[in-house]
Amino acid sequence: MSRRKRRVLWVLAALGSFVLLVVGLFALNGLVLADRQTPRMRHFADMPVAPTRSAPGEVTFISYNIAKGFAHKGGVNFESREIVEAKLKRMAEVLRAEQPDVVFLSEALTELTPCDIDQVAYLARECGLPFVATGENYNLGLPFYRVVGGNAVLSRTPLTPVANFDLAGRQPFWVSKNNRRALFVSVEFGGKPVLMGALHNDSFDMRNNAVQMQQLLDFIGDRPAILAGDFNNRPKDRSIALVRDSGKFVGEFDGAPSFFEGKRAERLDYILVPAGWELIESRVIPDDTSDHRAVVGRFKVK
């Protein structure tokens, strides 16, 4: 065999080994290192807790889809850390001004190697909400170069992990688009444990969205629960009707638009609490930092 042929074979073997290594690391990250169905709990004990505007016996919630802090520009292009942090700073100002007790986040990134900032931790610290739970919807990339995102709950009081389970229609781990899980934690209100679910449901197939909602209702059963987040369903759509007709929740099932894209202005985000609680205030914050407006709900606890 000539020297030239040996050189070509060596190059091909090296390229093949490199491709196998990358594929192996990708599979390792997605199958082993991804925290698929376990809520990740954190407590930032070194930070002061922000004041609340809730009166005794009341609780104030915010639901906010932060659109990944607009860190992803498409393909393999990402914004700089400085630009994303400026966005997050504005989002934190919006949240902090409301002095909430609990914030539900959707489309929140905890890792993005090209733009290295934990969006959930940043907002928790800026808002003075030290108890944090996150649930992965996707974990895509290599162990040292990846994007990790999903739902989160920020709270001024301790949280107990419950589940971060797959919703109907979930795709294999290498598909990040429209892959959904539901993050559930438990917290005490009125001296009793209450489930809290942070949601970001199917945005493409409304029939599957309704299947997901029924799955959530079956999981909750007869337990008191709060559902908040991006339901990706309008007030008259099937999923919202399922929740309303169950008789287990109160809240504003209609209301001002919370999502804006071009000429679209739709209500997609909700905060729904156990039946028997009293809705005191519900409104949408008029700030366009994200394509979703933050929804505020203040309730009197039963």
PDB file of all heavy atoms in Angstrom, residues 109-128:
ATOM      1  N   LEU A 109     -33.981  28.927  30.964  1.00  0.00           N
ATOM      2  CA  LEU A 109     -32.758  28.158  30.793  1.00  0.00           C
ATOM      3  C   LEU A 109     -31.933  28.161  32.076  1.00  0.00           C
ATOM      4  O   LEU A 109     -31.739  29.204  32.687  1.00  0.00           O
ATOM      5  CB  LEU A 109     -31.911  28.730  29.659  1.00  0.00           C
ATOM      6  CG  LEU A 109     -32.555  28.786  28.270  1.00  0.00           C
ATOM      7  CD1 LEU A 109     -31.552  29.322  27.255  1.00  0.00           C
ATOM      8  CD2 LEU A 109     -33.074  27.431  27.847  1.00  0.00           C
ATOM      9  N   THR A 110     -31.457  26.984  32.448  1.00  0.00           N
ATOM     10  CA  THR A 110     -30.513  26.886  33.564  1.00  0.00           C
ATOM     11  C   THR A 110     -29.085  26.719  33.066  1.00  0.00           C
ATOM     12  O   THR A 110     -28.139  26.974  33.808  1.00  0.00           O
ATOM     13  CB  THR A 110     -30.876  25.714  34.491  1.00  0.00           C
ATOM     14  OG1 THR A 110     -30.999  24.513  33.710  1.00  0.00           O
ATOM     15  CG2 THR A 110     -32.197  25.979  35.202  1.00  0.00           C
ATOM     16  N   GLU A 111     -28.931  26.256  31.820  1.00  0.00           N
ATOM     17  CA  GLU A 111     -27.600  26.152  31.210  1.00  0.00           C
ATOM     18  C   GLU A 111     -27.698  26.533  29.736  1.00  0.00           C
ATOM     19  O   GLU A 111     -28.640  26.138  29.045  1.00  0.00           O
ATOM     20  CB  GLU A 111     -27.055  24.721  31.282  1.00  0.00           C
ATOM     21  CG  GLU A 111     -26.539  24.303  32.637  1.00  0.00           C
ATOM     22  CD  GLU A 111     -25.847  22.942  32.559  1.00  0.00           C
ATOM     23  OE1 GLU A 111     -24.955  22.769  31.697  1.00  0.00           O
ATOM     24  OE2 GLU A 111     -26.215  22.058  33.355  1.00  0.00           O
ATOM     25  N   LEU A 112     -26.724  27.275  29.284  1.00  0.00           N
ATOM     26  CA  LEU A 112     -26.538  27.558  27.867  1.00  0.00           C
ATOM     27  C   LEU A 112     -25.077  27.931  27.690  1.00  0.00           C
ATOM     28  O   LEU A 112     -24.679  29.075  27.922  1.00  0.00           O
ATOM     29  CB  LEU A 112     -27.447  28.697  27.384  1.00  0.00           C
ATOM     30  CG  LEU A 112     -27.313  29.056  25.903  1.00  0.00           C
ATOM     31  CD1 LEU A 112     -27.640  27.868  25.012  1.00  0.00           C
ATOM     32  CD2 LEU A 112     -28.189  30.244  25.544  1.00  0.00           C
ATOM     33  N   THR A 113     -24.278  26.953  27.298  1.00  0.00           N
ATOM     34  CA  THR A 113     -22.824  27.137  27.288  1.00  0.00           C
ATOM     35  C   THR A 113     -22.375  28.361  26.500  1.00  0.00           C
ATOM     36  O   THR A 113     -21.525  29.123  26.980  1.00  0.00           O
ATOM     37  CB  THR A 113     -22.145  25.870  26.746  1.00  0.00           C
ATOM     38  OG1 THR A 113     -22.583  24.740  27.511  1.00  0.00           O
ATOM     39  CG2 THR A 113     -20.633  25.989  26.854  1.00  0.00           C
ATOM     40  N   PRO A 114     -22.917  28.620  25.299  1.00  0.00           N
ATOM     41  CA  PRO A 114     -22.449  29.807  24.566  1.00  0.00           C
ATOM     42  C   PRO A 114     -22.822  31.127  25.242  1.00  0.00           C
ATOM     43  O   PRO A 114     -22.242  32.161  24.929  1.00  0.00           O
ATOM     44  CB  PRO A 114     -23.166  29.680  23.212  1.00  0.00           C
ATOM     45  CG  PRO A 114     -23.572  28.258  23.108  1.00  0.00           C
ATOM     46  CD  PRO A 114     -23.866  27.827  24.497  1.00  0.00           C
ATOM     47  N   CYS A 115     -23.799  31.107  26.129  1.00  0.00           N
ATOM     48  CA  CYS A 115     -24.221  32.318  26.850  1.00  0.00           C
ATOM     49  C   CYS A 115     -24.400  31.916  28.305  1.00  0.00           C
ATOM     50  O   CYS A 115     -25.500  31.629  28.765  1.00  0.00           O
ATOM     51  CB  CYS A 115     -25.521  32.853  26.262  1.00  0.00           C
ATOM     52  SG  CYS A 115     -26.143  34.315  27.110  1.00  0.00           S
ATOM     53  N   ASP A 116     -23.304  31.859  29.015  1.00  0.00           N
ATOM     54  CA  ASP A 116     -23.229  31.180  30.308  1.00  0.00           C
ATOM     55  C   ASP A 116     -23.901  31.985  31.417  1.00  0.00           C
ATOM     56  O   ASP A 116     -23.256  32.781  32.117  1.00  0.00           O
ATOM     57  CB  ASP A 116     -21.765  30.910  30.670  1.00  0.00           C
ATOM     58  CG  ASP A 116     -21.633  30.094  31.941  1.00  0.00           C
ATOM     59  OD1 ASP A 116     -22.604  29.418  32.297  1.00  0.00           O
ATOM     60  OD2 ASP A 116     -20.559  30.146  32.564  1.00  0.00           O
ATOM     61  N   ILE A 117     -25.223  31.773  31.585  1.00  0.00           N
ATOM     62  CA  ILE A 117     -25.937  32.411  32.679  1.00  0.00           C
ATOM     63  C   ILE A 117     -27.135  31.540  33.037  1.00  0.00           C
ATOM     64  O   ILE A 117     -27.893  31.110  32.160  1.00  0.00           O
ATOM     65  CB  ILE A 117     -26.395  33.845  32.311  1.00  0.00           C
ATOM     66  CG1 ILE A 117     -27.120  34.488  33.494  1.00  0.00           C
ATOM     67  CG2 ILE A 117     -27.246  33.867  31.067  1.00  0.00           C
ATOM     68  CD1 ILE A 117     -27.383  35.976  33.295  1.00  0.00           C
ATOM     69  N   ASP A 118     -27.277  31.239  34.320  1.00  0.00           N
ATOM     70  CA  ASP A 118     -28.419  30.472  34.822  1.00  0.00           C
ATOM     71  C   ASP A 118     -29.568  31.462  35.019  1.00  0.00           C
ATOM     72  O   ASP A 118     -29.598  32.222  35.989  1.00  0.00           O
ATOM     73  CB  ASP A 118     -28.041  29.793  36.142  1.00  0.00           C
ATOM     74  CG  ASP A 118     -29.147  28.917  36.710  1.00  0.00           C
ATOM     75  OD1 ASP A 118     -30.320  29.153  36.390  1.00  0.00           O
ATOM     76  OD2 ASP A 118     -28.830  28.008  37.497  1.00  0.00           O
ATOM     77  N   GLN A 119     -30.520  31.449  34.096  1.00  0.00           N
ATOM     78  CA  GLN A 119     -31.587  32.445  34.110  1.00  0.00           C
ATOM     79  C   GLN A 119     -32.474  32.316  35.340  1.00  0.00           C
ATOM     80  O   GLN A 119     -32.937  33.318  35.892  1.00  0.00           O
ATOM     81  CB  GLN A 119     -32.413  32.313  32.829  1.00  0.00           C
ATOM     82  CG  GLN A 119     -31.610  32.562  31.569  1.00  0.00           C
ATOM     83  CD  GLN A 119     -32.399  32.336  30.302  1.00  0.00           C
ATOM     84  OE1 GLN A 119     -33.577  31.975  30.337  1.00  0.00           O
ATOM     85  NE2 GLN A 119     -31.764  32.536  29.158  1.00  0.00           N
ATOM     86  N   VAL A 120     -32.730  31.095  35.788  1.00  0.00           N
ATOM     87  CA  VAL A 120     -33.586  30.879  36.953  1.00  0.00           C
ATOM     88  C   VAL A 120     -32.916  31.408  38.212  1.00  0.00           C
ATOM     89  O   VAL A 120     -33.524  32.127  39.018  1.00  0.00           O
ATOM     90  CB  VAL A 120     -33.927  29.386  37.099  1.00  0.00           C
ATOM     91  CG1 VAL A 120     -34.729  29.142  38.377  1.00  0.00           C
ATOM     92  CG2 VAL A 120     -34.702  28.895  35.884  1.00  0.00           C
ATOM     93  N   ALA A 121     -31.660  31.054  38.412  1.00  0.00           N
ATOM     94  CA  ALA A 121     -30.933  31.520  39.596  1.00  0.00           C
ATOM     95  C   ALA A 121     -30.813  33.042  39.595  1.00  0.00           C
ATOM     96  O   ALA A 121     -30.939  33.691  40.642  1.00  0.00           O
ATOM     97  CB  ALA A 121     -29.540  30.881  39.648  1.00  0.00           C
ATOM     98  N   TYR A 122     -30.583  33.627  38.420  1.00  0.00           N
ATOM     99  CA  TYR A 122     -30.471  35.082  38.327  1.00  0.00           C
ATOM    100  C   TYR A 122     -31.755  35.748  38.790  1.00  0.00           C
ATOM    101  O   TYR A 122     -31.729  36.683  39.617  1.00  0.00           O
ATOM    102  CB  TYR A 122     -30.147  35.481  36.886  1.00  0.00           C
ATOM    103  CG  TYR A 122     -29.971  36.968  36.688  1.00  0.00           C
ATOM    104  CD1 TYR A 122     -28.713  37.548  36.767  1.00  0.00           C
ATOM    105  CD2 TYR A 122     -31.066  37.802  36.440  1.00  0.00           C
ATOM    106  CE1 TYR A 122     -28.549  38.934  36.599  1.00  0.00           C
ATOM    107  CE2 TYR A 122     -30.908  39.164  36.271  1.00  0.00           C
ATOM    108  CZ  TYR A 122     -29.650  39.726  36.348  1.00  0.00           C
ATOM    109  OH  TYR A 122     -29.502  41.082  36.197  1.00  0.00           O
ATOM    110  N   LEU A 123     -32.896  35.293  38.285  1.00  0.00           N
ATOM    111  CA  LEU A 123     -34.171  35.908  38.653  1.00  0.00           C
ATOM    112  C   LEU A 123     -34.506  35.659  40.125  1.00  0.00           C
ATOM    113  O   LEU A 123     -35.049  36.547  40.800  1.00  0.00           O
ATOM    114  CB  LEU A 123     -35.284  35.374  37.750  1.00  0.00           C
ATOM    115  CG  LEU A 123     -35.204  35.809  36.292  1.00  0.00           C
ATOM    116  CD1 LEU A 123     -36.291  35.134  35.468  1.00  0.00           C
ATOM    117  CD2 LEU A 123     -35.311  37.325  36.156  1.00  0.00           C
ATOM    118  N   ALA A 124     -34.186  34.478  40.635  1.00  0.00           N
ATOM    119  CA  ALA A 124     -34.454  34.184  42.042  1.00  0.00           C
ATOM    120  C   ALA A 124     -33.693  35.145  42.946  1.00  0.00           C
ATOM    121  O   ALA A 124     -34.251  35.690  43.910  1.00  0.00           O
ATOM    122  CB  ALA A 124     -34.076  32.740  42.354  1.00  0.00           C
ATOM    123  N   ARG A 125     -32.438  35.374  42.645  1.00  0.00           N
ATOM    124  CA  ARG A 125     -31.620  36.264  43.463  1.00  0.00           C
ATOM    125  C   ARG A 125     -32.075  37.718  43.329  1.00  0.00           C
ATOM    126  O   ARG A 125     -32.140  38.456  44.314  1.00  0.00           O
ATOM    127  CB  ARG A 125     -30.147  36.129  43.083  1.00  0.00           C
ATOM    128  CG  ARG A 125     -29.519  34.812  43.543  1.00  0.00           C
ATOM    129  CD  ARG A 125     -28.012  34.805  43.327  1.00  0.00           C
ATOM    130  NE  ARG A 125     -27.390  33.635  43.923  1.00  0.00           N
ATOM    131  CZ  ARG A 125     -27.076  33.518  45.212  1.00  0.00           C
ATOM    132  NH1 ARG A 125     -27.327  34.527  46.043  1.00  0.00           N
ATOM    133  NH2 ARG A 125     -26.504  32.433  45.672  1.00  0.00           N
ATOM    134  N   GLU A 126     -32.367  38.136  42.118  1.00  0.00           N
ATOM    135  CA  GLU A 126     -32.793  39.513  41.901  1.00  0.00           C
ATOM    136  C   GLU A 126     -34.138  39.808  42.561  1.00  0.00           C
ATOM    137  O   GLU A 126     -34.406  40.942  42.965  1.00  0.00           O
ATOM    138  CB  GLU A 126     -32.878  39.804  40.405  1.00  0.00           C
ATOM    139  CG  GLU A 126     -31.533  39.923  39.699  1.00  0.00           C
ATOM    140  CD  GLU A 126     -30.766  41.160  40.123  1.00  0.00           C
ATOM    141  OE1 GLU A 126     -31.370  42.258  40.116  1.00  0.00           O
ATOM    142  OE2 GLU A 126     -29.583  41.036  40.472  1.00  0.00           O
ATOM    143  N   CYS A 127     -34.980  38.782  42.675  1.00  0.00           N
ATOM    144  CA  CYS A 127     -36.327  38.978  43.213  1.00  0.00           C
ATOM    145  C   CYS A 127     -36.442  38.624  44.685  1.00  0.00           C
ATOM    146  O   CYS A 127     -37.514  38.799  45.281  1.00  0.00           O
ATOM    147  CB  CYS A 127     -37.332  38.150  42.415  1.00  0.00           C
ATOM    148  SG  CYS A 127     -37.461  38.654  40.690  1.00  0.00           S
ATOM    149  N   GLY A 128     -35.377  38.113  45.291  1.00  0.00           N
ATOM    150  CA  GLY A 128     -35.420  37.778  46.706  1.00  0.00           C
ATOM    151  C   GLY A 128     -36.326  36.607  47.014  1.00  0.00           C
ATOM    152  O   GLY A 128     -37.003  36.598  48.052  1.00  0.00           O
TER     153      GLY A 128
END
